[in-house]
Amino acid sequence: MSSKTLLMISGSLRLGSTNTAAINTAARLTPVGWTTEVYRGMNELPHFNPDDDDESVTVVDGVVRLRSAIGTSAAILICTPEYAGALPGSFKNLLDWTVGGMEIVGKPVAWLNVSAHATHAADAHESLRKVLGFTGADIVDAACVDIPVARADIGGDVLVTADAFEVAATESLRVLTDYAAAVTAD
Ligand SMILES: Cc1cc2nc3c(=O)[nH]c(=O)nc-3n(C[C@H](O)[C@H](O)[C@H](O)COP(=O)(O)O)c2cc1C
């Protein structure tokens, strides 16, 4: 995998998910010279337990794959829903597994907030900012975008059909990859 790889992660496990559709669509908008890896292993991660993440134990394959994907990426794009005023438990679990691995430290990260809810999933994204802060990720604010996507904008192929999304996602990816290239060159 090249060092100019964008890792894209959906925080939803739902079939037909708006957030997964946004990630699938963003993956098709990868800037020239970059490649994209869409992470699809969230369902295989065990519940985080610090006892299973100790130097004396073998970390399970799913966690190794997650950490490897983060380690070989130059930047990460996240798209997550809000459940009950917070991040989905399965996605918070994924983020908990990143803490011990350290691969995420200093990694440029941005998100596309596609919530069409009146509150714009603000609590989940406030929490995302806080958790990413603890992980040591480098949040690229200029690449974080609120672009509501309605369920009616999702095609049967789990892609977003709205033009406004394509415009917003393309700009977000441009800013994120420009930033990642600049910090890598430092
Ligand atoms: C159990 C549950 C709790 C939810 N809680 C919230 C919430 O607190 N705030 C919100 O904006 N949306 C909430 N929603 C709506 C989801 O965020 C919304 O359906 C979103 O599209 C789900 O993401 P997905 O389409 O990627 O699966 C909730 C949905 C479910 C199923």
Side-chain angles (χ1 to χ4, degrees), residues 12 14 16-20 81-86 115 117 119 121 151:
S12 176
R14 191 173 71 82
S17 153
T18 313
N19 288 276
T20 302
E82 176 172 288
Y83 286 162
S115 170
H117 193 267
T119 63
R151 289 205 178 172

Side-chain angles (χ1 to χ4, degrees), residues 15-71:
L15 219 59
S17 153
T18 313
N19 288 276
T20 302
I23 285 295
N24 291 343
T25 308
R28 296 183 170 206
L29 304 171
T30 307
V32 173
W34 285 75
T35 56
T36 292
E37 179 182 0
V38 177
Y39 175 76
R40 302 200 190 273
M42 189 164 75
N43 215 9
E44 70 186 23
L45 295 172
H47 294 162
F48 178 69
N49 179 346
D51 290 342
D52 299 332
D53 194 22
D54 187 87
E55 282 173 6
S56 63
V57 298
T58 304
V59 176
V60 300
D61 288 349
V63 175
V64 172
R65 279 193 285 275
L66 169 69
R67 290 176 174 175
S68 168
I70 293 171

